[in-house]
Amino acid sequence: MNSSPQWIREQIAVLQQSHLFRTRQQLTPKPDGWCELEGRLLKNFASNDYLGLATDPRLADAAQRAVAEFGVGSAASPLVSGRTCWHARLEDRIARFEGAEACLLFPSGYAANVGILPALVQAGDHVYSDQWNHASLIDGCRLSGADVHVYRHSDMQHLATLLDQASHTGRRLIVTDSLFSVDGDAAPLEDICRLSDDFDTMLVVDEAHATGVYGAHGRGLAESLHLESRIMLRIATLSKAIGAQGGFAVGDQTVIDWLWNRARSQVFSTALPPAVCAAACTAFDIIETEPFRKERLWDFSRQFVEQLFAAGLNLGVSAPSALGPIVPVLLDDPQSALRVGRLLQEDGFLVGTIRPPSVPPGTSRLRIALSCAHAEADVQRLADSVVEHVRRAETTERRDGP
Ligand SMILES: *Cc1c(COP(=O)(O)O)cnc(C)c1O
């Protein structure tokens, strides 16, 4: 058979009919939070570039200098011959930034998670995973072969009940996002640390959306709650607030040595390009010396969330203080999410529209990610536009409804 089978055509037709088929588009990043999409200049509120570093010329400079010296590809797995001085420098830089004993790089955050979890638990072991954990953690759990116990989102009672099962012998591990990537809410990390202590389990926390954003030094949610020393392994990405590419994990030297030997996604995958590591090193310097970026982001976030909340939009939380720079606006059906997303584009804003299967049916939403790269007036204009279009969509829904 050399052409695509009928079943794929049928499945695509089903996706199209239910407004769930995804098309591809091309985007050109521009400075100051702008982007160009299909020939139109838009303010980009759909990226994870929270600190505006992805287009920072200082990162580009660092990368260019490293390219001139090392070329582009690193040509081998880090274990074989792909680990350059830039990889070593970045691992040291991250360990210092995170106040951790040791750090290990991965090709991406996704690769970190699918490599790390199977290195820690196997068939016969038990992993306890939040219902809304990122797909890469879910995949890592599945790949490990351990029994996976999914607890209801942030439900500590449920987690405690699962942990209390006497039949759960073998190694045990709790894994959670710190800041949930779609809902933008924070995990109850303090309670999770307590349960991990009480039941003597390993604890892995994924700070992908919190690194650079939360905590006095920008290390993440664990820092802001003073819990870093109680978490065995913290995972994060260089691809969001850091503005580069790649994943990393920090912990004590022993667990990092173990992952170096056993995490298949870094053993069997080519090391990050040295230039990316050089750019990331510069990003950590900037984060430390320019705290105003984080402060500005939080000012935007407080102002934006409060305005949407006061206007009665459904942000999925009971108080504005529960959200940070990721702001979801729930809209029930995928059509409304797409329609509002299009109207916002006409007003000059790009926001994420998230539909099933990324979120459960009936919870399609806008996902607005703020960045310190924007101007305050843009954030204000976006808030006004969102309130206007979402209200209109809700009225239309009621009129068209059953
Ligand atoms: C984005 C994300 C990842 C994946 O990181 P990449 O570097 O983009 O592969 C992993 N975990 C969480 C929680 C994320 O939000």
Side-chain angles (χ1 to χ4, degrees):
M1 190 160 38
N2 55 15
S3 62
S4 51
Q6 187 57 27
W7 70 264
I8 297 185
R9 290 161 213 269
E10 285 163 12
Q11 292 292 317
I12 286 180
V14 170
L15 289 178
Q16 282 163 335
Q17 278 151 21
S18 37
H19 305 277
L20 297 177
F21 187 72
R22 272 102 157 147
T23 53
R24 288 188 282 183
Q25 53 190 20
Q26 268 181 47
L27 181 141
T28 310
K30 301 277 178 189
D32 303 324
W34 289 95
C35 67
E36 193 184 314
L37 182 71
E38 318 274 300
R40 287 203 58 189
L41 269 182
L42 300 170
K43 274 273 164 180
N44 190 352
F45 287 89
S47 90
N48 300 309
D49 184 23
Y50 302 113
L51 301 178
L53 294 178
T55 56
D56 191 298
R58 291 168 291 180
L59 270 68
D61 267 1
Q64 271 158 3
R65 274 182 275 122
V67 163
E69 200 182 344
F70 287 82
V72 174
S74 55
S77 152
L79 268 84
V80 178
S81 65
R83 188 167 185 269
T84 66
C85 65
W86 278 114
H87 298 84
R89 272 180 212 157
L90 178 57
E91 285 176 348
D92 288 349
R93 185 70 186 86
I94 295 174
R96 189 149 50 85
F97 176 83
E98 294 282 353
E101 212 171 278
C103 168
L104 183 62
L105 295 175
F106 285 82
S108 69
Y110 185 96
N113 288 339
V114 297
I116 288 170
L117 293 171
L120 298 175
V121 283
Q122 298 166 351
D125 299 333
H126 296 269
V127 49
Y128 305 85
S129 171
D130 188 286
Q131 174 184 14
W132 297 142
N133 273 348
H134 190 262
S136 55
L137 291 174
I138 296 173
D139 292 356
C141 286
R142 289 181 184 156
L143 205 53
S144 76
D147 286 342
V148 183
H149 309 279
V150 176
Y151 58 92
R152 285 187 293 275
H153 178 53
S154 292
D155 183 338
M156 294 298 99
Q157 204 61 52
H158 192 204
L159 174 57
T161 308
L162 291 172
L163 286 165
D164 206 18
Q165 306 288 314
S167 60
H168 290 188
T169 54
R171 295 185 213 138
R172 310 207 302 159
L173 180 153
I174 303 173
V175 62
T176 183
D177 281 20
S178 68
L179 192 68
F180 287 89
S181 41
V182 179
D183 287 316
D185 58 327
L189 269 193
E190 189 148 10
D191 295 331
I192 293 174
C193 284
R194 207 190 49 248
L195 288 172
S196 166
D197 289 344
D198 290 352
F199 288 92
D200 194 24
T201 72
M202 296 181 279
L203 176 56
V204 174
V205 175
D206 182 344
E207 296 261 29
H209 286 281
T211 304
V213 173
Y214 281 75
H217 300 89
R219 296 174 189 163
L221 189 68
E223 184 196 12
S224 73
L225 300 172
H226 310 290
L227 296 169
E228 289 165 295
S229 62
R230 295 171 65 185
I231 297 167
M232 181 185 79
L233 199 66
R234 283 179 293 128
I235 301 175
T237 176
L238 300 166
S239 328
K240 289 171 181 157
I242 311 303
Q245 179 76 38
F248 67 86
V250 291
D252 71 18
Q253 190 67 52
T254 308
V255 68
I256 294 300
D257 285 346
W258 177 248
L259 296 179
W260 169 255
N261 282 272
R262 278 290 179 275
R264 292 168 63 86
S265 57
Q266 71 92 36
V267 174
F268 295 105
S269 191
T270 298
L272 285 170
V276 163
C277 299
C281 281
T282 298
F284 283 104
D285 293 345
I286 296 174
I287 290 172
E288 281 182 355
T289 53
E290 298 182 357
F292 66 82
R293 292 175 177 271
K294 182 161 61 89
E295 285 153 22
R296 185 176 156 90
L297 174 68
W298 277 101
D299 286 344
F300 286 172
S301 157
R302 274 187 286 270
Q303 176 192 321
F304 186 78
V305 173
E306 266 162 33
Q307 185 172 342
L308 266 54
F309 199 83
L313 268 51
N314 181 1
L315 309 185
V317 290
S318 51
S321 59
L323 293 175
I326 302 173
V327 185
V329 181
L330 276 77
L331 279 160
D332 309 337
D333 68 299
Q335 268 158 293
S336 316
L338 289 177
R339 186 169 348 108
V340 174
R342 264 195 304 272
L343 289 168
L344 288 170
Q345 279 192 27
E346 283 168 22
D347 291 348
F349 303 108
L350 180 64
V351 307
T353 48
I354 317 262
R355 297 167 277 162
S358 307
V359 290
T363 68
S364 286
R365 65 194 66 195
L366 309 175
R367 179 183 180 279
I368 298 163
L370 300 167
S371 166
C372 78
H374 296 298
E376 188 174 346
D378 292 320
V379 178
Q380 183 60 52
R381 280 200 308 121
L382 174 64
D384 294 340
S385 280
V386 169
V387 169
E388 181 195 329
H389 294 312
V390 170
R391 279 198 176 139
R392 192 168 301 153
E394 283 168 348
T395 320
T396 318
E397 250 170 54
R398 271 196 294 279
R399 204 176 49 229
D400 297 349

